[in-house]
Amino acid sequence: MTTRTHCLERDAQDALAPLRDQFDLPAGVIYLDGNSLGARPKTALVRAQHVIAQEWGYDLIRSWNSAGWFDLPKRLGDRLAPLIGGLDGEVVVTDTTSVNLFKALAAALHMQSVETGRRVIVTERANFPTDIYMAEGLTKWLDRGYSIKLIDSPDELPAVIGADTAVVMLTHVNYRTGYQYDMQATSALAHAAGALIVWDLAHSAGAVPVDLNADGADLAVGCTYKYLNGGPGAPAFIWVPKKHQAAFQQPLSGWWGHAAPFAMAPHYTPTDGIGRALCGTQPIVSLAMVECGLDVHHQTSMAAIRAKSLALTDLFIELVEARCASHPLALVTPREHARRGSQVSFTHPHGYAVMAALIARGVIGDYREPAIMRFGFTPLYTSYADVWDAVEILRDILDRQDYNVDAKRDAVT
Ligand SMILES: *Cc1c(COP(=O)(O)O)cnc(C)c1O
């Protein structure tokens, strides 16, 4: 049986443990919500002060060139690319995940409907809502006979992807359950039926190894404010591989994607390469923070992060099942490593109230309908002792029924 001493021993041997010191986390908090908003790298404060005081305040408009503001989406994209199996010139950090998904879907539909007449988007009912909503908006407003087919389980994909499927749009790691798709096999399945595949990496980038080029993905988008620690609302990313860049055309044809933005021409001509995925002027202060999270990631490897992530999630599952065995908790996250992201979700009939009680005692996770308590594990700043302590607090809350089933519904985000 694992003890707290065992956990402390594992922390002492953990090669990633020193990285925790690069984050500012409040005392008395065990932060298990880095899957929703990553913790703040210490350098972000210094960087923000520099961008605001020096680049904006003193250098003013000259900073578009002298501070590299124009190139920032591409420069950060090149730094992010190795974490997801992309190449230089295949990623830009820009806009939001929702907006990038709109561009990627529209581009994929255009590539398909021009050549093959295919017009159906296949996705999951259990997808993060904005992904479905953006597809709905696109099919409604770019009214070209596009439609959406929702599946209820990954098992349905082989039967549902067919001759009318233009694009399969899936989230690699499910936000609610932590289920992880086999990217290579699923991409191959789509291709075998003549469809393209767009992956949402919101819960993957910086959390699990991703190899977009090797796994045959077509397009991808994702967040920087979750496991990449870019800051609240930090710009997202979009990946367009070299093989698709010439055919990639998207409807948000703003001047940042123009071949000659300062020619001020009255018509749009997309630039070559990944730049055509850009739209307009970027939130530079927020964008600059993304680099601070990437700096930490580049001090280790996705393999090391993954190994610790699986160790942390295995430990959490083991301890909850052993120490809270008398309570009605049910694991919804896959036990199989290959199918598990970097989170663990348990249902409890009073999940909302229990999570509110956990947060009141400094264990910050979150809650998702229906009845799901979600715990994110970020190997850069979560220790094995944190896992032990979080489970002990959970056990204590459950044993003493120290939660309020009438908890107000704004205690948990
Ligand atoms: C977090 C998340 C988003 C967030 O999109 P925003 O545009 O940043 O609000 C989108 N899709 C998935 C799958 C997510 O997990």
Side-chain angles (χ1 to χ4, degrees):
M1 187 56 214
T2 305
T3 64
R4 190 170 195 276
T5 306
H6 292 140
C7 294
L8 290 170
E9 284 165 10
R10 291 175 83 171
D11 285 328
Q13 290 159 12
D14 172 17
L16 295 186
L19 293 178
R20 180 188 178 100
D21 189 45
Q22 299 191 24
F23 293 90
D24 243 335
L25 284 161
V29 162
I30 298 175
Y31 193 58
L32 303 180
D33 216 354
N35 52 329
S36 208
L37 175 62
R40 177 173 72 80
K42 285 180 179 166
T43 53
L45 193 57
V46 183
R47 182 89 183 99
Q49 273 167 342
H50 181 80
V51 173
I52 292 169
Q54 177 67 36
E55 297 180 4
W56 176 20
Y58 186 80
D59 295 330
L60 290 159
I61 198 153
R62 293 169 287 191
S63 285
W64 284 108
N65 295 313
S66 62
W69 286 354
F70 266 122
D71 292 332
L72 203 50
K74 286 185 193 164
R75 197 168 65 72
L76 293 176
D78 286 343
R79 293 205 71 200
L80 195 155
L83 302 181
I84 55 171
L87 301 172
D88 271 6
E90 290 188 337
V91 179
V92 275
V93 178
T94 186
D95 298 337
T96 66
T97 302
S98 302
V99 168
N100 288 331
L101 197 58
F102 184 86
K103 299 175 201 166
L105 265 184
L109 286 169
H110 184 70
M111 280 152 75
Q112 284 280 32
S113 60
V114 164
E115 286 181 21
T116 66
R118 293 164 178 256
R119 285 190 165 76
V120 176
I121 302 167
V122 171
T123 190
E124 280 185 294
R125 203 179 306 277
N127 205 339
F128 188 84
T130 204
D131 295 42
I132 303 174
Y133 301 164
M134 294 308 288
E136 284 179 346
L138 192 157
T139 54
K140 176 172 175 183
W141 296 102
L142 300 189
D143 185 12
R144 294 179 166 187
Y146 300 139
S147 64
I148 303 169
K149 236 182 230 173
L150 295 178
I151 57 161
D152 286 304
S153 151
D155 303 337
E156 293 175 22
L157 280 176
V160 167
I161 304 174
D164 60 351
T165 308
V167 51
V168 179
M169 171 186 80
L170 294 171
T171 297
H172 181 226
V173 174
N174 186 275
Y175 76 103
R176 192 156 34 190
T177 63
Y179 174 90
Q180 180 177 170
Y181 272 97
D182 180 336
M183 182 178 284
Q184 189 166 47
T186 312
S187 300
L189 186 75
H191 292 159
L196 293 169
I197 189 152
V198 175
W199 288 102
D200 187 332
L201 305 179
H203 287 269
S204 309
V208 301
V210 175
D211 205 345
L212 289 166
N213 275 306
D215 287 348
D218 290 303
L219 298 169
V221 302
C223 277
T224 68
Y225 57 73
K226 294 173 178 168
Y227 290 96
L228 290 174
N229 310 299
F237 64 87
I238 178 166
W239 170 78
V240 183
K242 304 272 186 202
K243 65 179 176 191
H244 288 322
Q245 287 182 355
F248 181 92
Q249 294 188 54
Q250 52 97 0
L252 303 181
S253 43
W255 70 305
W256 275 45
H258 196 281
F262 291 99
M264 303 295 173
H267 295 294
Y268 182 76
T269 310
T271 185
D272 289 337
I274 187 64
R276 57 177 56 195
L278 296 172
C279 178
T281 307
Q282 292 303 296
I284 294 297
V285 179
S286 183
L287 189 59
M289 299 303 101
V290 174
E291 185 139 45
C292 303
L294 292 174
D295 283 341
V296 185
H297 274 271
H298 282 289
Q299 294 167 51
T300 178
S301 67
M302 284 313 303
I305 288 174
R306 178 60 168 168
K308 184 175 173 188
S309 159
L310 288 172
L312 291 169
T313 51
D314 276 345
L315 176 66
F316 185 74
I317 293 169
E318 175 204 320
L319 292 176
V320 170
E321 292 187 334
R323 303 184 68 78
C324 308
S326 62
H327 299 288
L329 291 163
L331 180 68
V332 294
T333 301
R335 285 178 204 275
E336 189 193 337
H337 283 177
R339 297 282 72 80
R340 188 195 305 163
S342 198
Q343 74 181 61
V344 176
S345 300
F346 280 97
T347 57
H348 184 282
H350 299 300
Y352 187 89
V354 175
M355 181 53 74
L358 279 166
I359 292 172
R361 290 184 56 179
V363 178
I364 302 182
D366 61 25
Y367 174 83
R368 291 292 178 265
E369 294 294 345
I372 290 179
M373 293 192 290
R374 199 170 69 144
F375 303 90
F377 293 87
T378 43
L380 297 178
Y381 51 80
T382 304
S383 69
Y384 294 94
D386 286 338
V387 173
W388 175 276
D389 294 341
V391 175
E392 274 310 282
I393 292 170
L394 174 63
R395 186 190 57 72
D396 185 62
I397 288 169
L398 293 173
D399 284 354
R400 299 194 298 112
Q401 288 193 31
D402 188 18
Y403 51 86
N404 174 10
V405 293
D406 301 318
K408 257 187 81 197
R409 286 271 162 160
D410 58 5
V412 182
T413 54

